[in-house]
Amino acid sequence: MSQPKFTQVQAGRLEGATHIASPNFNARPVDAQIELIVIHNISLPPSQFGGGYIQQFFQNQLDCSLHPYFQTIQGMQVSAHLLILRSGEVIQFVNFKDRSWHAGRSSYLAQPECNDYSIGIELEGSDDLPFETEQYQSLVAVIQLLRQAYPKIQNHIAGHSDIAPKRKTDPGPCFDWPLLRQLLSEKTASNE
């Protein structure tokens, strides 16, 4: 796969991403500033990829009769700003200016309610399977653009498990944090 072709963040939209609207968002608090990226993983059914079920779930259109696991999440209203598929394709569900419903009860550096001031990025994956090279490439490209658009982010990048450790395990032990840091460092150096 070639390098992702994301060009900029404009008016809260990632140019170059696929855009699918989720109804699961609301306004950020008036004084909230975007200063954190939260990385998640999701697969529906668990550890199975493709099928478009994540997209349907974020749009409240998932047919819960299709798989027993889907019945356990029936009625949940969840979203993320972005989803990065196994192929590296990026889908934006919620404008960055709005609050997506990705973090739940959470805290980062003693500041509660991460949804208020964070951008949620879901990677199609699971705790027990490695992520794809294309996903890391897209994630790095996205993070670089988000850092430019929202300078308070800088190195404030956390896993869901970091902000809600008693409830969540994602992005999980198979997410390669050292690789992400290395790729971000290389990308930053090549841009200077």
Side-chain angles (χ1 to χ4, degrees):
M1 177 182 161
S2 61
Q3 289 295 322
K5 301 283 192 280
F6 310 117
T7 55
Q8 63 183 337
V9 173
Q10 184 163 358
R13 288 173 53 95
L14 177 63
E15 301 299 327
T18 300
H19 294 269
I20 300 174
S22 170
N24 302 328
F25 73 93
N26 56 3
R28 293 183 188 272
V30 175
D31 59 346
Q33 296 186 46
I34 297 169
E35 53 191 78
L36 172 66
I37 293 172
V38 179
I39 299 174
H40 307 257
N41 78 47
I42 186 170
S43 53
L44 294 175
S47 298
Q48 295 181 36
F49 308 126
Y53 299 125
I54 301 167
Q55 295 90 315
Q56 294 167 24
F57 182 51
F58 287 170
Q59 294 177 285
N60 302 336
Q61 296 175 358
L62 181 63
D63 181 349
C64 292
S65 70
L66 294 176
H67 191 277
Y69 178 77
F70 296 170
Q71 294 167 19
T72 69
I73 59 173
Q74 188 169 6
M76 291 179 70
Q77 294 183 325
V78 178
S79 63
H81 291 94
L82 302 177
L83 168 65
I84 302 178
L85 299 176
R86 303 295 284 181
S87 65
E89 179 187 353
V90 177
I91 302 171
Q92 183 167 6
F93 290 92
V94 176
N95 189 295
F96 299 131
K97 294 180 179 182
D98 293 317
R99 175 172 53 190
S100 73
W101 302 343
H102 65 95
R105 292 289 167 248
S106 53
S107 177
Y108 180 74
L109 299 179
Q111 186 177 351
E113 306 303 336
C114 294
N115 281 341
D116 291 350
Y117 55 89
S118 68
I119 290 173
I121 301 177
E122 292 274 8
L123 300 177
E124 184 180 26
S126 64
D127 285 6
D128 56 351
L129 293 169
F131 294 87
E132 301 293 338
T133 300
E134 292 86 355
Q135 290 179 290
Y136 288 105
Q137 291 172 339
S138 292
L139 180 60
V140 167
V142 165
I143 289 172
Q144 289 297 96
L145 290 173
L146 290 174
R147 285 172 162 174
Q148 291 170 17
Y150 307 104
K152 287 189 172 257
I153 290 173
Q154 293 316 310
N155 292 318
H156 295 289
I157 303 167
H160 201 184
S161 57
D162 298 318
I163 63 167
K166 293 182 176 145
R167 295 187 306 109
K168 297 295 179 178
T169 59
D170 60 312
C174 290
F175 184 78
D176 194 337
W177 286 103
L179 176 62
L180 176 64
R181 285 190 286 274
Q182 174 191 336
L183 293 172
L184 284 170
S185 178
E186 289 171 2
K187 183 82 169 166
T188 301
S190 71
N191 289 341
E192 290 178 351

